[in-house]
């Protein structure tokens, strides 16, 4: 009996020590992926050898120490224990393998989400249809998977899930970028990205938690929400920072990609013509005042003709040129952002601007913004884009590091350019509340 217990102890303890050595080896930082895979296989086999070695020792003990009934009961208990240990082993190996892969690739997933209440009242001056809103809604679930593929190559994507009015959920790839950064002075990116038109579009993406306010400025509405700008571009870019000693740091961006289709939108799966869109942007941060940034851009494209009268007025192709300029001053507790953009389609001009100011007081940020967008009535490219002039005031409370609660009121006028009530002008009074998080 004593010999059997000694055999059991020696077999089990020796196996455990061997597994511990393998585990330490598995956790070594310098081990490559293939070496770790080999260790995982060895761990699995070693665990099985240890388990069945212990079974043999226990059988030896059982056979020399009791009745047939007790031996059968002990054997059943051992079999149950073996099944449990093998399940635990498989789970351990699978989990460690996933962690190993994520760590070796530098994979991380971050995200944003928001829930909003909105109440908007419109007072039609020309007998327009009722557009009042009083609703709760889930905003966007915004996921940011990213990976460091090597010291100078990385990957980032932005997957957005949006609730639709019919109760369904729409998923979209808003950004997908592969980036090669050989130096701070130059990097190359390919994929789908936010066009560097102005400041807001490149700085604040889809996560509502990122920005002070509820919603983007009227000028930077997304295509699906009546925006007038090319918010996304599918193609490539080169960008970097050039330090001018004791003068300023100059950020430059050169972009080329698929232009806009016959009406506002993004061509992701191809391009209906051979003409590409180009964008060039510059921004400067003075050496003596890093909180100040001044910049601008010029965007050029040729919008294809519209041959489908169901989508709008028939027209020939037209040149598009967009000029933008901005100035920002971000130095806690002060936030100041101002932008203006002009869109030229042949001899038709549409324009927009906004000025936003905020002042942080502890965990609170009171803010205000003045928005304006004016569409050229003769421009048939903008079929459902509205003229808007609004004033917004609100407050943001950062209740903890990753949770913000916002209250906001909006006043102004909207001229709706739709098929039902073209040119209908209405006064707007709105209130919104939002909880937004980052994780």
């Amino acid at each position: 009996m004593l010999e059997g217990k000694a055999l059991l102890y020696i077999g089990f303890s020796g196996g455990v020590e061997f597994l511990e050595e393998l585990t330490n080896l598995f956790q070594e930082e310098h081990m490559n992926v293939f070496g770790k895979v080999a260790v995982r296989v060895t761990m699995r086999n070693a665990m099985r050898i240890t388990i069945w070695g212990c079974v043999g020792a226990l059988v030896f003990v059982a056979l020399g120490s009791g009745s047939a009934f007790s031996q059968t009961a002990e054997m059943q208990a051992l079999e149950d224990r073996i099944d449990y240990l093998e399940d635990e082993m498989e789970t351990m190996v699978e989990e460690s393998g996933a962690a190993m892969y994520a760590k070796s690739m530098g994979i991380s997933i971050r995200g944003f989400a928001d829930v909003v209440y909105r109440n908007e009242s419109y007072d039609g001056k020309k007998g327009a249809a009722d557009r009042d809103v009083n609703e709760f809604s889930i905003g966007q679930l915004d996921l940011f998977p990213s990976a460091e593929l090597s010291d100078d190559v990385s990957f980032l994507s932005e997957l957005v899930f949006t609730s639709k009015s019919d109760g369904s959920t729409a998923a979209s790839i808003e950004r997908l970028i592969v980036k090669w950064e050989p130096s701070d002075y130059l990097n190359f990116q390919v994929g789908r990205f936010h066009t560097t038109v102005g400041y807001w579009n490149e700085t604040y993406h889809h996560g509502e938690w990122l920005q002070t306010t509820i919603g983007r400025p009227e000028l930077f509405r997304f295509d699906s929400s009546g925006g007038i700008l090319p918010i996304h571009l599918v193609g490539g870019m080169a960008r970097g920072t050039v330090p001018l000693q004791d003068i300023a740091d100059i950020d430059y961006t050169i972009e080329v990609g698929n232009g806009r289709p016959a009406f506002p939108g993004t061509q992701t799966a191809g391009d209906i013509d051979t003409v590409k869109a180009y964008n060039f942007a510059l921004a400067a941060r003075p050496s003596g005042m890093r909180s100040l940034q001044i910049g601008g851009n010029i965007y050029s494209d040729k919008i294809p003709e519209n041959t489908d009268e169901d989508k709008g007025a028939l027209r020939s192709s037209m040149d598009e040129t967009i000029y933008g300029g901005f100035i920002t001053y971000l130095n806690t507790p002060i936030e100041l952002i101002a932008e203006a953009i002009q869109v030229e389609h042949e001899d038709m001009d549409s324009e927009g601007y906004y000025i936003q100011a905020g002042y942080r007081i502890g965990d609170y940020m009171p803010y205000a913004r003045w928005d304006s967008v004016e569409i050229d009535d003769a421009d048939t490219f903008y079929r459902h884009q509205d003229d808007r002039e609004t004033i917004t005031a609100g407050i943001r409370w950062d209740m903890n590091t990753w949770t913000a609660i916002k209250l906001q009121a909006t006043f102004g006028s909207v001229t709706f350019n739709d098929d039902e009530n073209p040119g209908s002008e209405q006064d707007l009074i709105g209130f919104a509340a939002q909880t937004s998080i980052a994780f």
Side-chain angles (χ1 to χ4, degrees):
M1 182 67 179
L2 291 175
E3 292 83 353
K5 290 183 177 180
L7 179 60
L8 173 61
Y9 175 78
I10 292 170
F12 185 75
S13 61
V16 169
E17 288 179 3
F18 180 53
L19 284 174
E20 287 179 346
E21 290 297 324
L22 286 173
T23 302
N24 292 335
L25 181 62
F26 182 80
Q27 293 174 344
E28 289 290 333
E29 294 290 342
H30 62 270
M31 177 168 286
N32 61 30
V33 172
F34 299 103
K36 290 185 177 181
V37 170
V39 171
R40 287 175 59 201
V41 174
T42 306
M43 285 176 68
R44 179 186 287 111
N45 294 332
M47 177 67 82
R48 286 179 175 146
I49 291 170
T50 300
I51 291 171
W52 286 105
C54 292
V55 170
L58 285 171
V59 170
F60 175 80
V61 174
L63 289 175
S65 62
S67 66
F69 176 78
S70 63
Q71 292 170 12
T72 302
E74 288 182 17
M75 287 299 297
Q76 184 61 49
L78 286 172
E79 290 179 3
D80 293 342
R81 180 61 176 164
I82 289 168
D83 291 340
Y84 171 77
L85 288 175
E86 286 200 324
D87 289 342
E88 288 292 303
M89 178 194 68
E90 292 295 336
T91 301
M92 178 187 70
V93 171
E94 289 173 4
E95 290 180 350
S96 61
M100 175 197 70
Y101 179 79
K103 187 173 182 179
S104 66
M105 296 292 288
I107 295 174
S108 68
I109 299 179
R110 303 298 302 271
F112 304 91
D114 65 277
V115 179
V116 64
Y117 167 74
R118 193 180 305 276
N119 186 303
E120 295 179 352
S121 177
Y122 294 91
D123 180 15
K125 294 183 178 180
K126 295 183 179 180
D130 182 18
R131 301 174 185 271
D132 290 356
V133 174
N134 183 22
E135 62 186 16
F136 289 93
S137 63
I138 296 175
Q140 294 182 331
L141 174 59
D142 190 5
L143 300 181
F144 277 90
S146 63
E148 298 295 329
L149 306 180
S150 69
D151 290 340
D152 55 4
V153 178
S154 61
F155 166 80
L156 177 145
S157 63
E158 187 172 12
L159 309 176
V160 176
F161 300 86
T162 306
S163 298
K164 300 175 67 175
S165 58
D166 62 1
S168 62
T169 299
S172 59
I173 301 175
E174 296 298 337
R175 289 192 295 160
L176 192 155
I177 301 169
V178 178
K179 178 180 178 181
W180 176 43
E181 189 170 13
S183 75
D184 293 337
Y185 306 110
L186 176 65
N187 69 74
F188 299 95
Q189 303 178 31
V190 293
R192 173 180 166 122
F193 43 85
H194 280 178
T195 316
T196 311
V197 175
Y199 172 81
W200 190 284
N201 197 49
E202 173 60 22
T203 305
Y204 304 110
H205 301 290
H206 291 259
E208 287 277 330
W209 179 88
L210 294 168
Q211 60 200 36
T212 300
T213 58
I214 300 175
R216 296 160 68 92
E218 301 289 356
L219 180 60
F220 287 100
R221 282 174 172 255
F222 293 114
D223 302 325
S224 58
S225 301
I228 70 170
L229 299 176
I231 297 297
H232 298 92
L233 192 67
V234 176
M237 74 161 73
R239 71 180 352 167
T241 300
V242 178
L244 302 179
Q245 189 174 10
D246 299 328
I247 300 176
D249 285 347
I250 306 298
D251 300 327
Y252 68 89
T253 301
I254 303 171
E255 298 168 333
V256 58
N258 296 337
R260 299 214 261 186
F263 292 97
T266 303
Q267 298 190 97
T268 301
D271 196 343
I272 62 176
D273 61 15
T274 58
V275 179
K276 297 294 135 215
Y278 299 90
N279 186 54
F280 178 67
L282 285 175
R285 299 186 304 276
S287 299
M289 192 179 293
R290 295 292 184 182
S291 301
L292 178 67
Q293 187 175 21
I294 301 172
N297 77 281
I298 180 170
Y299 173 98
S300 177
D301 186 20
K302 191 175 188 67
I303 296 174
E305 64 179 351
N306 175 42
T307 58
D308 186 352
E309 60 183 355
D310 292 335
K311 294 182 178 180
L314 301 178
R315 56 165 172 76
S316 60
S317 61
M318 58 184 178
D319 294 329
E320 178 178 57
T321 306
I322 301 175
Y323 303 96
F326 69 86
I327 180 169
T328 70
Y329 182 79
L330 305 175
N331 187 9
T332 305
I334 299 173
E335 175 184 274
L336 291 174
I337 308 173
E339 294 196 66
I341 288 181
Q342 179 169 306
V343 182
E344 293 184 357
H345 292 157
E346 304 293 348
D347 57 351
M348 299 168 289
D349 296 338
S350 300
E351 58 189 18
Y353 62 84
Y354 75 90
I355 301 171
Q356 179 173 308
Y359 190 88
R360 178 165 290 281
I361 306 171
D363 295 331
Y364 299 89
M365 171 78 88
Y367 60 85
R369 185 171 68 208
W370 179 14
D371 280 288
S372 178
V373 173
E374 186 175 350
I375 308 297
D376 193 312
D377 294 337
D379 194 341
T380 56
F381 176 72
Y382 294 126
R383 182 183 178 188
H384 296 302
Q385 281 64 30
D386 307 320
D387 294 349
R388 292 176 175 266
E389 185 164 357
T390 59
I391 295 175
T392 297
I395 186 167
R396 171 182 174 136
W397 171 38
D398 290 291
M399 65 181 302
N400 58 48
T401 304
W402 306 112
T403 307
I405 295 177
K406 310 173 192 178
L407 302 175
Q408 182 171 295
T410 302
F411 308 90
S413 63
V414 181
T415 301
F416 291 99
N417 299 316
D418 57 18
D419 295 334
E420 295 180 0
N421 299 282
S424 63
E425 183 179 353
Q426 301 185 47
D427 292 331
L428 165 65
I429 299 177
F431 171 78
Q434 181 191 74
T435 299
S436 59
I437 63 170
F439 56 90

